[in-house]
Amino acid sequence: MLKRIDPLLNADVLYALRAMGHGDRLVVCDTNFPADSIARQTVLGKLLRIDNVSAARAIGAVLSVFPLDTFVDDAAIRMEIVDKPKEVPPVQAEVQAAIDRSEGKSWPLVGVERHAFYAMAKTAYCVIATGERRFYGCFLFTKGVIPPDEGR
């Protein structure tokens, strides 16, 4: 166990999050997403897992150590519902709340059409599959930077 590290963040996930650089993208997905086949096409090339928890819980853990990119307008992306792009289902509202808690402010969760989301996911650094069983529990996050401490 480590102090102040969420226990959901296993060694493989922590390694990937640490290895990612500014601008790299991370997919966090539900159980219906083609996670393994897409993960094989990512930079890391293998699927990571945070099992048995909701997307919001897994994302809350990830965002406890993962800075979102402030240089882009789409650092947090959700998969849009087919034929209902403006609709935000409960799973996405819960993730929006987790993002806002982590960032300490309202942070836009941008919608992307399903097939465009798949294409973006294939270019991500890695994919983390969760235990989320509700539809459209799929998200992309862009890694930001951690500024230096003042006076160092």
Side-chain angles (χ1 to χ4, degrees), residues 12-120:
D12 291 335
V13 169
L14 284 170
Y15 170 82
L17 296 177
R18 173 65 177 95
M20 292 174 69
H22 182 210
D24 282 337
R25 285 210 158 132
L26 161 71
V27 176
V28 180
C29 66
D30 63 31
T31 58
N32 292 296
F33 188 77
D36 189 65
S37 61
I38 289 192
R40 290 170 192 249
Q41 299 173 65
T42 64
V43 173
L44 188 64
K46 67 176 186 173
L47 179 62
L48 303 174
R49 305 194 70 85
I50 299 178
D51 288 316
N52 302 317
V53 296
S54 69
R57 176 67 180 95
I59 288 166
V62 167
L63 293 179
S64 73
V65 298
F66 186 92
L68 289 175
D69 195 342
T70 58
F71 292 100
V72 296
D73 294 332
D74 63 349
I77 294 173
R78 66 179 180 86
M79 181 189 288
E80 292 176 348
I81 296 175
V82 174
D83 297 327
K84 299 177 185 176
K86 302 268 189 246
E87 186 175 323
V88 177
V91 64
Q92 293 181 359
E94 290 169 18
V95 167
Q96 179 69 69
I99 294 166
D100 293 350
R101 270 191 307 278
S102 174
E103 294 301 310
K105 63 180 180 180
S106 180
W107 188 283
L109 188 54
V110 177
V112 169
E113 185 274 332
R114 189 178 122 223
H115 292 290
F117 186 98
Y118 289 145
M120 292 173 76

Side-chain angles (χ1 to χ4, degrees), residues 29-35 118 130 132-138:
C29 66
D30 63 31
T31 58
N32 292 296
F33 188 77
Y118 289 145
T130 70
E132 182 61 66
R133 293 183 55 204
R134 293 173 289 179
F135 298 145
Y136 297 98
C138 300

